């Protein structure tokens, strides 16, 4: 199966899951019922902590969770694409090659050290997991010699990545997306996958 076929299947899977999740959440909210789509672990957390939050905040969180899931899947998919592409083009040690800008390496090293200094478990042993969405865009664009065969337009990649980075802010920082921005997110995710057609 080609990379394009895999990406199409991931795209279809992600979009289908988002639509189903949003519909279930909409039915739950509209009719104040529970269709049982939450795991038992989540139900236990909700039973202990959720009653302490207002219904308005819980409803907003439920509506935003689908957007978070889509963005989580998208960001993980982009990171995997970057890693696999650079590993194939450069080597297994592509992170330490000139393909990754020193400024990005320095920022990532600082984030890792900050996490280590805080005494919490590191989120990952992979430096790429410490890059920001904007840095992922820089990595793709500055390595266009290897990514140009995957995407159909460098300018379009820059534009779509910039849009995604802007849309990521409210999702990552617990702010509700306006109705227009929900639509913009859906269209921008479609635009991302269209870049690889």
């Amino acid at each position: 199966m080609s990379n394009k076929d895999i990406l199409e299947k991931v795209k279809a899977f992600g979009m289908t899951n988002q639509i189903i999740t949003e519909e279930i959440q909409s039915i739950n909210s509209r009719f104040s019922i529970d269709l049982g789509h939450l795991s038992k672990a989540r139900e236990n957390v909700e039973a202990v902590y959720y009653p302490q939050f207002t219904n308005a905040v819980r409803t907003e969180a439920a509506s935003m969770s689908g957007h978070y899931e889509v963005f989580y899947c998208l960001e993980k998919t982009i990171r995997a694409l970057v890693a696999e592409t650079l590993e194939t083009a450069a080597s297994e040690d592509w992170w330490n090659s000139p393909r990754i800008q020193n400024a990005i390496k320095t920022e990532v090293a600082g984030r890792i050290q900050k996490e280590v200094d805080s005494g919490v478990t590191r989120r990952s042993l992979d430096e790429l997991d410490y890059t920001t969405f904007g840095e992922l865009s820089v990595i793709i664009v500055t390595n266009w010699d290897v990514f140009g065969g995957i995407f159909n337009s460098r300018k379009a990649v820059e534009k779509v990545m910039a849009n995604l980075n802007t849309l990521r802010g409210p999702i990552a920082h617990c702010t509700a997306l306006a109705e227009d921005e929900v639509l913009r997110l859906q269209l921008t995710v479609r635009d991302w996958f269209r870049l690889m057609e």
Side-chain angles (χ1 to χ4, degrees), residues 8 19 30 35 39 50 55 114 167 170 185:
E8 282 298 317
I19 291 167
R30 192 174 328 128
L35 294 175
S39 70
Y50 274 28
N55 190 45
K114 183 177 180 181
L167 289 163
L185 174 62

Side-chain angles (χ1 to χ4, degrees), residues 74-192:
L74 179 65
E75 195 164 323
K76 294 288 278 187
T77 302
I78 292 171
R79 287 180 197 283
L81 176 69
V82 167
E84 291 166 12
T85 303
L86 288 175
E87 187 173 312
T88 300
S91 71
E92 286 188 33
D93 194 26
W94 57 267
W95 179 262
N96 293 311
S97 76
R99 288 195 172 272
I100 306 300
Q101 296 73 12
N102 287 330
I104 292 175
K105 291 178 193 176
T106 300
E107 287 294 321
V108 165
R111 289 182 198 117
I112 291 170
Q113 190 58 52
K114 183 177 180 181
E115 203 167 86
V116 168
D117 291 344
S118 70
V120 299
T121 305
R122 279 186 58 176
R123 72 181 95 158
S124 174
L125 296 176
D126 185 352
E127 290 92 347
L128 191 63
D129 288 335
Y130 288 88
T131 57
T132 65
F133 204 75
E135 290 166 344
L136 287 173
S137 178
V138 170
I139 291 169
I140 291 170
V141 170
T142 58
N143 288 284
W144 195 251
D145 61 313
V146 293
F147 288 100
I150 297 171
F151 301 106
N152 55 33
S153 167
R154 180 179 174 163
K155 283 189 175 197
V157 167
E158 291 174 314
K159 182 178 185 289
V160 170
M161 290 290 281
N163 286 345
L164 287 168
N165 199 32
T166 300
L167 289 163
R168 185 185 189 278
I171 296 167
H173 298 285
C174 302
T175 306
L177 282 176
E179 186 178 328
D180 287 349
E181 301 314 305
V182 170
L183 179 58
R184 194 177 325 277
L185 174 62
Q186 293 168 349
L187 292 173
T188 306
V189 169
R190 288 180 190 161
D191 290 343
W192 168 259

